[in-house]
Amino acid sequence: MNTPPSPLRIVLVDDERMVRTALRAILSSEPDLEVVGEAGSGAEAVPVVRELRPDVVLMDVRMPDVDGIRATERILGTLPDPPRVIVVTTFENDSYVYDALRAGASGFLLKRARAAELVQAVRLVARSDSLLFPAAVRALAAEHAAARGPDREASARALRDRLSEREAVVLRLMTDGLSNSEIAARMAVGPATVKTHVGAVLTKLGVRDRTQAVIAAYESGFVTPG
């Protein structure tokens, strides 16, 4: 008899108790998800995450004192094998959200998102073989990347030189929001081959996941809006 996989462990970080209560109610109703802890501020988030070692953190982006950007940086920069972070925001077209993604968050979620979207976002980010809400991430990158990146012509060339021809194709398809299985179908190769290419792209770019790879592609000018 097969043992079912352990539920995904989640920590909620938001300075509003009612928001945390609502998120807990939605997530705890799913058999494969478990809310293991909460924090009422960005400052509280780091010790809570360090103690509980969740798989995913839902992080409010705007909080007093230590906001979600700084808290994300601290979690990802100080903990071994850190969790995936999803920032939760009221406004999607927000420089705060883009800064949180640059800090290492794996995606973002709107506070008005439906329950099903919330649940799917947690599962998708934990699985990490697809980009969460790719159109929204691309729109953010297209708006903010040019202002944040260095000399784009030289930077694009430097990024391209780090990748093999196949890896460059994979990165472009990742920026289009394709999952590993969709990339495999597009390139007529096996999913294991795509997984290897994706891993190589992340390593060569020095990034943790697909979201940061997309940001690097836009900020370098390797991918341009339009």
Side-chain angles (χ1 to χ4, degrees), residues 43-99:
E44 292 176 13
V46 180
V48 169
V49 171
R50 181 181 290 116
E51 177 186 356
L52 298 176
R53 305 312 305 270
D55 301 296
V56 177
V57 176
L58 285 177
M59 177 80 71
D60 185 20
V61 73
R62 290 180 180 265
M63 293 179 286
D65 300 324
V66 178
D67 62 22
I69 302 166
R70 303 286 85 79
T72 296
E73 288 177 337
R74 292 178 186 180
I75 288 171
L76 300 181
T78 62
L79 300 181
D81 192 24
R84 304 282 176 177
V85 176
I86 301 174
V87 292
V88 184
T89 180
T90 303
F91 306 105
E92 63 182 293
N93 189 14
D94 189 334
S95 62
Y96 270 76
V97 176
Y98 188 71
D99 285 340

Side-chain angles (χ1 to χ4, degrees), residues 163-180:
L163 304 177
S164 71
E165 184 175 343
R166 276 283 176 107
E167 290 161 358
V169 172
V170 167
L171 177 56
R172 291 190 185 280
L173 294 176
M174 287 166 62
T175 64
D176 288 339
L178 273 63
S179 67
N180 283 2

